[in-house]
Amino acid sequence: MRQTNQTQVTEFLLLGLSGDQRTQELLFTLFLGVYLATVLGNLLLMFLIQADSRLHTPNFFFLCNLSLADLCFSTNIAPQALAHLLSRRKVISFTRCAAQLLLFLVFGGTQCALLAVMACDRQVAICNPLHYPSTMTWRVCIQLAAGSWASGILVSVVDTTFTLRLPYQGSNNIAHFFCEAPAMLILASTDTHTSETVIFLMGTVILLIPVSLILVSYGRIIVTVVRMRSTESKLKAFSTCSSHLVVVILFYGSAIVTYMTPKSYKEQEKLVSVFYAMVTPMLNPLIYSLRNKDVKGALRKVATRNFPCRFGVFH
């Protein structure tokens, strides 16, 4: 569907990842499995953190917030994508597209900030363990979490405003499976230099600044660990950071490719967005669960309490 030059676009056509029917059926099965795993994994992780008092620590408080952001992030995209994979007419109204873009940036921006906060938390725990209780108080943790959500909202409002204020009066075919700013800017029927500049600056704020904080934090952690005399202490310190570092690399690597180069949006970047929009939210709880003995201990405790006969071996 195309609009005349005098008519504002009222709906968009999401072209998706492929026009081949068999490929779409395969993608539906794959995306459905990924989304279900994302929902179950993040809900389970949040439940375990709430249920086990041993996990009532700043580190797991931030992890619980990250799981909530992951869950909302994926839920904002996956159901619409799944419905369109089974539909011939992959249409989304301008209003729903705007809402999807807004929420996508809110939850994505919050994830970026939370990952930086978690890196700073690990730095204090490893580099200044004696001052950790007095530094990472619950008041400070709540303020940091609230600030992370506030930063996501701020970046989202700015990016969404500068994306949607443009006139869309030509093609309404979005070469993507959800409404994302770089893919939408291509359709604007006017010069997009200002909007691209603003999105780049917001990308610097919500991507590069947190990445810089993470690099500084891990730099200090590495220096501290190298100075440790005990090999056991070194391994313990690295093990507490390894899960977070893997998540950081997976999420930031793919997000920076898309949002720091909006003008050069290409077909391959659409595939990159699949990774951080669909796959990473599923991997986060899996990575933290498999690599954290406290989470595995909480799971065994819950399993033993609810299924004593079947899981009696855990006693």
Side-chain angles (χ1 to χ4, degrees), residues 71-90:
L71 181 60
C72 295
F73 187 71
S74 183
T75 299
N76 179 50
I77 298 171
Q80 178 78 58
L82 289 169
H84 279 181
L85 285 171
L86 296 181
S87 174
R88 291 185 177 181
R89 194 167 184 265
K90 310 177 194 305

Side-chain angles (χ1 to χ4, degrees), residues 237-253:
F238 277 124
S239 67
T240 62
C241 300
S242 57
S243 298
H244 177 259
L245 192 57
V246 170
V247 171
V248 166
I249 294 172
L250 292 176
F251 181 80
Y252 276 104

Side-chain angles (χ1 to χ4, degrees), residues 41-196:
N42 283 288
L43 285 178
L44 177 61
L45 187 56
M46 286 189 289
F47 169 75
L48 292 175
I49 292 173
Q50 293 295 324
D52 195 320
S53 59
R54 294 175 299 177
L55 302 183
H56 294 175
T57 63
N59 183 38
F60 287 105
F61 171 72
F62 296 131
L63 180 55
C64 189
N65 276 269
L66 181 64
S67 285
L68 177 60
D70 279 337
L71 181 60
C72 295
F73 187 71
S74 183
T75 299
N76 179 50
I77 298 171
Q80 178 78 58
L82 289 169
H84 279 181
L85 285 171
L86 296 181
S87 174
R88 291 185 177 181
R89 194 167 184 265
K90 310 177 194 305
V91 173
I92 184 172
S93 69
F94 189 95
T95 302
R96 289 184 63 185
C97 188
Q100 187 178 66
L101 174 63
L102 178 71
L103 294 176
F104 169 79
L105 292 170
V106 167
F107 301 128
T110 300
Q111 286 175 304
C112 292
L114 284 171
L115 288 171
V117 167
M118 292 172 73
C120 294
D121 171 73
R122 290 300 83 201
Q123 177 199 322
V124 176
I126 293 173
C127 301
N128 301 286
L130 296 179
H131 295 92
Y132 185 77
S134 60
T135 302
M136 299 303 295
T137 63
W138 280 113
R139 181 178 180 180
V140 170
C141 292
I142 292 172
Q143 290 174 341
L144 289 172
S148 297
W149 285 94
S151 65
I153 293 172
L154 174 62
V155 170
S156 175
V157 169
V158 173
D159 276 9
T160 302
T161 299
F162 276 85
T163 300
L164 299 181
R165 73 179 182 85
L166 299 172
Y168 293 91
Q169 299 172 338
S171 171
N172 66 343
N173 297 336
I174 298 179
H176 213 329
F177 66 98
F178 69 96
C179 295
E180 191 173 25
M184 294 180 65
L185 288 178
I186 297 174
L187 303 181
S189 51
T190 188
D191 180 65
T192 61
H193 177 73
T194 300
S195 294
E196 289 172 4

